[in-house]
Amino acid sequence: EPSTGLSPILTEQVLTEVRRMSEMLECTVLAIEQNVKNAVSLGDRVSVMRRGRVSSTFPGRENADIQALLDAYTFKHTAFVG
C-alpha cells in the first residue's frame, strides 16, 4: 500500500514516482491500495477483490467511475453487468 502512513504531500510524490517509473520502464505495476482515489490515480484498471477473488474491474485514471468503484469497494452491490 504505497500511501499507508504518509502525509498527503509525500503520498502524491510517491504515486507520481510510481506512475513515472511504470511509464519509463514500460512495465505493469501491481499496487494494493485501500484508498480508492489513490488506486484510481495509479492504474489504467482498478480491480476490487472480495474473499481473495476479483469481484469487479473498472477503468482507472480519468475514465474512472468513482461512485461505482466505491459501491463495489463497500459491497453495496453484489452483481455487475458488463
Side-chain angles (χ1 to χ4, degrees), residues 12 19 21 23 28 30-31 47-48 54-56 65 75 77:
E12 186 54 40
R19 284 188 295 270
M21 288 173 47
E23 291 169 4
T28 299
L30 173 65
S47 295
V48 175
V54 174
S55 62
S56 308
D65 181 346
F75 309 121
H77 302 290

Side-chain angles (χ1 to χ4, degrees), residues 2 13 69 75 81:
Q13 290 173 346
L69 226 166
F75 309 121
V81 178

Side-chain angles (χ1 to χ4, degrees), residues 7-43:
S7 69
I9 291 171
L10 193 53
T11 295
E12 186 54 40
Q13 290 173 346
V14 168
L15 297 177
T16 298
E17 187 62 21
V18 169
R19 284 188 295 270
R20 186 189 72 74
M21 288 173 47
S22 173
E23 291 169 4
M24 181 181 77
L25 299 173
E26 297 180 0
C27 67
T28 299
V29 173
L30 173 65
I32 309 302
E33 179 60 65
Q34 292 186 27
N35 182 305
V36 173
K37 290 182 180 180
N38 289 345
V40 167
S41 77
L42 269 178

